[in-house]
Amino acid sequence: MARREKNKYMTIKNLANVVCDIIMALDEGTEISIGNIVREYLKSKQYSLVYIDNKYGWIWTKDNGLTYIIKDSDLFKVMDIVEKKLSKLRILDFSKYDSLYIGLPYNIPFIIKYKF
């Protein structure tokens, strides 16, 4: 794995761990999306969402895109990691939006339910 790809994977994995920690701290019944959690977390760390060009699209950065941070499309990977990591601890209930075409999966709100 190339160094850049390794750093990219670690960035995604670390972000997924933060999202998991945030979900674990939220109350049962909270409705939120992975995308909202990521946006609020990165904003709190003074990152900006900027459009680079058609090749890269939107990325989160502190230096106007000079350093790779995370692309919006990488949130698919974040979501996969979060769902696997929390599968025995929490239920992310997306049933309110079953069979609806409302957007990208990481932007679809879910309700947090405790798993006993």
Side-chain angles (χ1 to χ4, degrees):
M1 181 182 291
R3 181 179 174 143
R4 180 178 163 98
E5 289 302 309
K6 183 176 180 182
N7 291 340
K8 176 181 173 180
Y9 174 76
M10 290 307 297
T11 299
I12 291 168
K13 186 176 175 185
N14 291 338
L15 183 57
N17 288 333
V18 167
V19 171
C20 287
D21 291 343
I22 291 170
I23 290 172
M24 291 298 293
L26 293 172
D27 294 329
E28 185 172 24
T30 300
E31 186 172 357
I32 197 159
S33 71
I34 301 290
N36 282 343
I37 294 170
V38 169
R39 280 187 287 280
E40 291 307 312
Y41 172 73
L42 292 176
K43 283 181 191 176
S44 76
K45 298 295 182 187
Q46 286 77 46
Y47 286 88
S48 304
L49 183 63
V50 296
Y51 185 77
I52 300 300
D53 60 32
N54 286 337
K55 182 177 177 185
Y56 295 104
W58 293 94
I59 66 167
W60 287 95
T61 184
K62 281 188 176 181
D63 57 10
N64 293 320
L66 299 176
T67 302
Y68 177 85
I69 299 297
I70 190 162
K71 294 192 287 187
D72 217 28
S73 61
D74 290 331
L75 294 183
F76 288 108
K77 294 175 189 150
V78 170
M79 186 171 180
D80 287 342
I81 294 168
V82 168
E83 287 179 329
K84 287 175 187 166
K85 187 172 179 181
L86 294 181
S87 66
K88 294 182 179 168
L89 304 169
R90 296 286 185 272
I91 297 169
L92 308 182
D93 182 4
F94 291 90
S95 63
K96 184 176 177 181
Y97 300 98
D98 280 351
S99 303
L100 298 176
Y101 296 100
I102 62 169
L104 297 168
Y106 54 82
N107 284 330
I108 298 173
F110 53 86
I111 295 173
I112 298 170
K113 295 184 178 178
Y114 295 160
K115 210 167 194 179
F116 296 102

